[in-house]
Amino acid sequence: MAFGITSITLITVDILNRLEKKNKKKRCLSADTRVCLKGFGIFLFGFAIAQLFNEVLKNAVGRLRPHFFDVCRPNVFFINCSEGYITNYTCTNREHSATILRNIRQSFPSGHAVFSMFTAMYLALYIQIRLNISYSLILKPTFQAGLLLLSLLCSASRITDHMHHCSDVIAGLILGFIVACAVFYSLGTKYLNNHNGDSICSSDDIEENSVPASKECQIPLQLLHEKSKCTRLKSKTLTSSSLIV
């Protein structure tokens, strides 16, 4: 869903900008396409950074998920609770694979919270800097609020499904928020700024406006040229008449 929502959002922003520039008779279509591709590339880079932090923390902390006992069903008859933390146990549930049994010891932080908040925050910042429309004042904040709401709903579902503790989700949201801001303000503000596109637009507009002006000036120039011919002919006529006299 993160990749799908990101692709749809970037394309939507590009289309809205094209419509806005079409109404203003600007030509920046190729520049907008390049910026859109750069935005998706920066998103992939940030997604990889978030994945790296998430995997390192999950394997380093090794916190048990809320449904650990239901999935593992450890043999409690051979566990001595007086020893404190139990590190040696045997799962008696054979219905699940080794991957699932390893996954139940990777609760902190919530990967869904990390990726959903990273996606929502990155796209909210992208919309803030890239979407420029004059016909609606609430469209931009509506998009941003909707993305953040989807992230919070996805994160909250991990608590209601008993897949994560509340602290796991909060830590994931904070981590995703930090990674999104760090990646965007280090790369996004440099490569996705509207000033680059505006400079291209202004140069195109100058060229476009200069062509009609030259065409309009062709008629007055022809008239001036004809007038100069008439003046020269008159001067020659006056000179010949004076010689005759």
Side-chain angles (χ1 to χ4, degrees):
M1 289 184 63
F3 287 102
I5 292 175
T6 301
S7 302
I8 293 173
T9 302
L10 296 183
I11 294 173
T12 302
V13 171
D14 186 39
I15 292 174
L16 293 176
N17 285 335
R18 286 168 181 262
L19 293 176
E20 179 72 11
K21 291 173 182 177
K22 184 178 180 181
N23 294 332
K24 293 183 178 180
K25 297 182 180 180
K26 293 184 178 181
R27 299 179 300 170
C28 285
L29 304 184
S30 60
D32 287 342
T33 302
R34 291 195 298 269
V35 172
C36 182
L37 294 176
K38 288 180 181 179
F40 192 77
I42 296 173
F43 169 80
L44 293 178
F45 174 77
F47 201 90
I49 296 296
Q51 174 72 14
L52 176 63
F53 278 96
N54 181 63
E55 291 298 325
V56 169
L57 290 175
K58 279 182 177 293
N59 289 279
V61 177
R63 188 179 187 182
L64 303 180
R65 295 181 184 270
H67 65 288
F68 169 79
F69 286 98
D70 182 63
V71 175
C72 179
R73 297 177 189 173
N75 192 347
V76 296
F77 298 102
F78 297 97
I79 294 178
N80 186 6
C81 296
S82 61
E83 296 179 355
Y85 287 104
I86 307 301
T87 57
N88 295 322
Y89 58 89
T90 302
C91 294
T92 61
N93 191 354
R94 304 301 179 185
E95 298 177 358
H96 302 287
S97 62
T99 303
I100 295 178
L101 294 177
R102 182 176 63 254
N103 189 43
I104 60 177
R105 298 190 298 271
Q106 297 177 342
S107 182
F108 183 90
S110 172
H112 285 70
V114 173
F115 298 135
S116 63
M117 178 52 67
F118 167 78
T119 303
M121 195 63 200
Y122 177 84
L123 293 178
L125 294 173
Y126 182 90
I127 291 173
Q128 183 65 30
I129 196 174
R130 286 299 306 164
L131 183 60
N132 292 315
I133 53 176
S134 59
Y135 51 84
S136 178
L137 297 177
I138 64 173
L139 185 60
K140 182 185 293 187
T142 301
F143 276 167
Q144 295 169 330
L147 292 169
L148 293 175
L149 179 60
L150 286 176
S151 172
L152 294 177
L153 290 175
C154 177
S155 302
S157 67
R158 304 302 288 173
I159 300 176
T160 57
D161 293 341
H162 306 290
M163 298 295 292
H164 287 285
H165 304 280
C166 183
S167 56
D168 302 333
V169 173
I170 294 175
L173 292 174
I174 295 174
L175 178 58
F177 179 85
I178 293 174
V179 174
C181 292
V183 170
F184 190 86
Y185 285 111
S186 61
L187 297 177
T189 53
K190 182 179 180 180
Y191 295 103
L192 305 177
N193 203 316
N194 274 324
H195 295 297
N196 298 330
D198 293 341
S199 62
I200 299 174
C201 284
S202 59
S203 63
D204 290 343
D205 291 339
I206 292 173
E207 294 178 358
E208 184 178 358
N209 294 330
S210 62
V211 173
S214 61
K215 291 181 179 179
E216 292 176 357
C217 291
Q218 289 178 358
I219 297 176
L221 287 174
Q222 291 176 356
L223 294 176
L224 290 174
H225 185 64
E226 292 177 357
K227 287 182 179 179
S228 63
K229 286 183 178 180
C230 293
T231 304
R232 287 196 298 270
L233 291 173
K234 288 180 180 180
S235 62
K236 290 181 180 180
T237 304
L238 291 174
T239 303
S240 61
S241 62
S242 61
L243 290 174
I244 293 171
V245 172

